[in-house]
């Protein structure tokens, strides 16, 4: 064998095997250190496809991401190059998603939403939004919700209003105890604050609760509205008995517009809805006593949908009105 190789080598010009150029090639240990690789691959291959699947509150939910080359074959990239976030402007929820490659070019995006309503799923490859991102996902109540309570929170004194934060904390207005009670997401009591009275951080008969856009607790009391911290400190308070602007007569329901942050109050015995700005300054009001479509008789509660449409409980007109 050696003799044959020597014969072959005699007939080879060694010059042709000498390099005529030199280049330094650096191998990247981790692909995600190259910021542009996601853009390069997204632009060089077919459009990613996002597939919606049913999503439920409190349940691990999945959406599929498929990557294909232009010839239709699967195209795989490291999961470190893919980032996803589920967001809701209505409740301020932002969830980072988990990403797993189930097979070449196919990825499962998993998350557990805490609130129902429309959410936006943003998917990026190497920092660039993929085609059709963000997509809207409708988060619905769990199918197990069939009318049988899975938990009961006892030992409350005439609870009148309740609100749940995007972190799962529960805020309860205890009408009969003249206080606000906070529970953590495990339904364990964190604190109660407030005593009977008319000073700041005191309550006569608290009824409605909501979360302002700047993350504070809003409470309707007998003739006023208070904005408080989660520790119970009063930030601002407006209102007294009457029927003029910033005067109230047993206000009950309270809701925050999902886009503007304005505060809508069911001024029950004044038969109207008062609208305040986030700083509790007066904006406007609408409604008056009566049974005509634009009139209201004893509004008790109100709520916004994800599109900013207002629904009002018109108590003595025996209907729900949409504004």
């Amino acid at each position: 064998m050696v003799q044959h190789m020597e014969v072959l080598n005699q007939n080879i010009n060694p010059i042709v095997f000498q390099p005529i150029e030199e280049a330094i090639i650096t191998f990247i240990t981790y692909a995600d250190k190259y910021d542009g690789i996601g853009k390069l691959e997204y632009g060089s291959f077919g459009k990613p496809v996002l597939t919606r699947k049913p999503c439920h509150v409190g349940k691990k939910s999945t959406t599929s991401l498929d990557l294909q080359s232009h010839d239709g074959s699967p195209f795989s990239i490291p999961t470190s190059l893919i980032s996803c976030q589920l967001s809701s402007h209505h409740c301020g929820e932002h969830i980072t998603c988990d990403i797993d490659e189930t097979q070449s070019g196919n990825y499962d995006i998993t998350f557990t939403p805490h609130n129902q309503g429309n959410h936006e799923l943003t998917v990026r490859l190497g920092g660039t939004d993929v085609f059709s991102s963000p997509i809207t996902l409708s988060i619905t109540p769990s199918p197990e919700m069939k009318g049988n309570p899975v938990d009961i929170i006892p030992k409350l004194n005439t609870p009148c209003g309740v609100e749940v934060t995007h972190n799962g904390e529960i805020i309860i207005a205890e009408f009969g105890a003249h206080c606000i009670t906070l529970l953590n997401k495990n339904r364990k009591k964190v604190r109660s604050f407030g005593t009977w009275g008319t000073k700041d951080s005191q309550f006569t008969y608290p009824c409605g609760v909501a979360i302002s856009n700047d993350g504070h607790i809003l409470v309707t009391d007998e003739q006023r509205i208070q904005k408080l911290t989660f520790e119970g400190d009063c930030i601002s308070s407006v209102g007294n008995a009457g029927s003029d602007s910033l005067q109230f007569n047993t206000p009950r329901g309270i809701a925050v517009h999902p886009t503007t942050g304005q505060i809508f109050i069911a001024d029950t015995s004044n038969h109207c809805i008062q609208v305040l700005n986030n700083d509790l300054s007066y904006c406007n009001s609408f409604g008056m006593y009566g049974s005509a479509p634009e009139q209201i008789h004893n509004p008790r509660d109100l709520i916004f949908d994800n599109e900013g449409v207002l629904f009002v409980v018109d108590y003595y007109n025996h209907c729900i009105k949409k504004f």
Side-chain angles (χ1 to χ4, degrees):
M1 175 69 71
V2 174
Q3 292 176 347
H4 287 295
M5 290 298 296
E6 290 176 348
V7 171
L8 289 173
N9 289 338
Q10 290 175 359
N11 299 320
I12 293 176
N13 184 357
I15 297 177
V16 299
F17 288 97
Q18 299 300 319
I20 59 175
E21 292 183 5
E22 290 186 2
I24 298 174
I25 300 175
T26 302
F27 290 92
I28 301 174
T29 305
Y30 298 101
D32 57 356
K33 288 186 177 180
Y34 176 40
D35 295 334
I37 194 167
K39 297 180 182 179
L40 173 65
E41 291 172 337
Y42 172 44
S44 303
F45 293 84
K47 293 178 179 178
V49 177
L50 287 167
T51 304
R52 296 176 178 86
K53 295 182 180 180
C55 304
H56 304 295
V57 175
K59 298 292 182 181
K60 192 173 183 178
S61 304
T62 303
T63 292
S64 294
L65 170 66
D66 290 295
L67 300 180
Q68 296 180 348
S69 60
H70 286 306
D71 62 6
S73 60
F75 172 56
S76 176
I77 65 172
T79 56
S80 58
L81 288 177
I82 307 174
S83 61
C84 304
Q85 186 177 70
L86 185 73
S87 304
S88 170
H89 299 299
H90 172 64
C91 59
E93 185 172 50
H94 299 282
I95 299 174
T96 300
C97 309
D98 294 324
I99 305 162
D100 295 299
E101 187 171 15
T102 56
Q103 57 187 17
S104 181
N106 181 267
Y107 303 83
D108 276 350
I109 301 169
T110 58
F111 46 85
T112 303
H114 302 296
N115 295 278
Q116 67 183 58
N118 287 339
H119 288 55
E120 287 188 347
L121 178 65
T122 302
V123 181
R124 293 180 175 177
L125 303 183
T128 300
D129 284 357
V130 304
F131 177 75
S132 77
S133 174
I135 63 170
T136 300
L137 299 178
S138 178
I139 311 299
T140 59
S142 170
E144 285 80 10
M145 296 177 65
K146 299 179 180 178
N148 298 319
V150 296
D151 192 10
I152 296 176
I153 301 171
K155 299 180 181 179
L156 298 172
N157 191 338
T158 325
C160 187
V162 63
E163 179 68 287
V164 181
T165 71
H166 69 276
N167 293 324
E169 299 167 309
I170 303 171
I171 306 168
I172 303 167
E174 291 198 62
F175 187 91
H178 320 289
C179 71
I180 302 299
T181 295
L182 274 63
L183 310 179
N184 63 24
K185 61 182 179 181
N186 297 317
R187 313 300 189 259
K188 302 299 182 182
K189 184 175 178 178
V190 176
R191 70 177 65 85
S192 290
F193 56 80
T195 58
W196 190 92
T198 57
K199 296 180 180 179
D200 288 347
S201 301
Q202 292 184 323
F203 308 98
T204 49
Y205 297 104
C207 188
V209 288
I211 304 296
S212 66
N213 271 16
D214 54 359
H216 296 111
I217 300 174
L218 301 166
V219 181
T220 60
D221 204 350
E222 194 167 17
Q223 277 119 19
R224 63 174 176 163
I225 312 299
Q226 290 193 71
K227 178 189 278 192
L228 308 109
T229 67
F230 275 71
E231 287 70 40
D233 299 320
C234 182
I235 298 171
S236 56
S237 174
V238 296
N240 52 57
S243 57
D244 290 333
S245 302
L246 293 180
Q247 293 184 327
F248 302 95
N249 191 348
T250 60
R252 295 186 182 275
I254 185 168
V256 177
H257 192 283
T259 303
T260 67
Q262 291 175 314
I263 302 162
F264 287 64
I265 300 151
D267 195 355
T268 304
S269 295
N270 280 331
H271 313 289
C272 71
I273 306 300
Q274 288 208 48
V275 184
L276 309 185
N277 298 310
N278 185 54
D279 62 357
L280 300 191
S281 60
Y282 178 78
C283 180
N284 68 287
S285 63
F286 57 90
M288 58 184 297
Y289 174 82
S291 58
E294 70 279 6
Q295 295 176 326
I296 309 172
H297 189 181
N298 216 241
R300 293 294 180 95
D301 205 357
L302 68 178
I303 193 171
F304 284 99
D305 68 8
N306 292 336
E307 306 300 323
V309 176
L310 179 66
F311 295 83
V312 176
V313 177
D314 195 350
Y315 189 77
Y316 281 120
N317 282 326
H318 311 288
C319 67
I320 306 295
K321 289 185 175 176
K322 180 179 177 181
F323 296 87

